[in-house]
Amino acid sequence: MIDQNKIIGQEKNALLTHFNLDDVDKLVISLKKIGRENFNKVCILIKINKRIVFFHAGTQTTNENNLWIHKKANVVDKFDHSSLFEKAIYEENPNDFYINNGLSRRDYAIVGGGFPIGLQSTGVIGSLIVSGLTDTEDHDLAYQALLDLQSQQS
């Protein structure tokens, strides 16, 4: 079982004091540092206010990763929660996610790797999406990179 409370806690723990276009490069540096050898195994998408502000396609990725990025980003954009959180909610019956919300499997996926970028004073203002590892590893890379960026803001 995926622990919903743990994921909500991670989303709260990763809140930043600020995040704008000037911070994108710092987040990418954190992703490279945390991801190390896995950085070339992943695609990464960063969005602010649903606008794509950064995309990385690792040398060991394919278009399949791009498709997963799109689906995970749609989940974060719609629900303002991580895609792993939505997976946890519907873990016992994933079909209910699509039926209850009127969503298509072509455009949405409840797998880990989509993480909201939130501000302490504002709430969710963007998303960080990772695809290429296992879904929990994708989620963890995004979470750890946001924590690393947060530590630089203190």
Side-chain angles (χ1 to χ4, degrees):
M1 292 288 289
I2 302 168
D3 186 345
Q4 295 176 30
N5 291 326
K6 177 184 175 185
I7 298 167
I8 289 292
Q10 290 176 332
E11 291 178 11
K12 289 179 181 173
N13 287 341
L15 292 175
L16 304 171
T17 57
H18 59 85
F19 190 77
N20 56 44
L21 291 173
D22 291 331
D23 298 306
V24 172
D25 288 341
K26 294 173 190 167
L27 180 55
V28 172
I29 290 167
S30 293
L31 286 157
K32 287 179 181 178
K33 179 172 75 173
I34 303 293
R36 294 183 302 268
E37 68 277 354
N38 285 333
F39 190 74
N40 281 321
K41 296 178 183 176
V42 295
C43 284
I44 296 168
L45 179 74
I46 300 172
K47 296 170 85 176
I48 299 175
N49 296 321
K50 300 182 180 153
R51 172 185 169 209
I52 295 171
V53 295
F54 177 83
F55 180 77
H56 161 78
T59 57
Q60 299 174 43
T61 63
T62 67
N63 185 54
E64 186 75 17
N65 300 106
N66 293 44
L67 298 174
W68 284 108
I69 285 268
H70 170 74
K71 293 176 180 188
K72 294 175 187 186
N74 285 344
V75 171
V76 177
D77 286 350
K78 183 161 182 65
F79 296 98
D80 286 342
H81 283 291
S82 69
S83 52
L84 189 62
F85 177 73
E86 295 301 323
K87 178 181 180 178
I89 291 173
Y90 292 96
E91 189 171 24
E92 290 187 24
N93 193 350
N95 284 333
D96 284 351
F97 172 79
Y98 301 98
I99 294 167
N100 294 351
N101 296 298
L103 303 174
S104 163
R105 290 179 181 275
R106 183 182 58 207
D107 296 317
Y108 293 83
I110 49 172
V111 294
F115 206 97
I117 297 173
L119 301 183
Q120 294 168 359
S121 60
T122 309
V124 176
I125 55 94
S127 57
L128 169 57
I129 317 297
V130 179
S131 175
L133 308 172
T134 68
D135 73 331
T136 53
E137 291 171 330
D138 287 345
H139 174 90
D140 194 52
L141 176 54
Y143 174 56
Q144 294 300 325
L146 286 167
L147 289 179
D148 188 65
L149 178 62
Q150 180 192 67
S151 74
Q152 299 168 43
Q153 294 183 343
S154 302

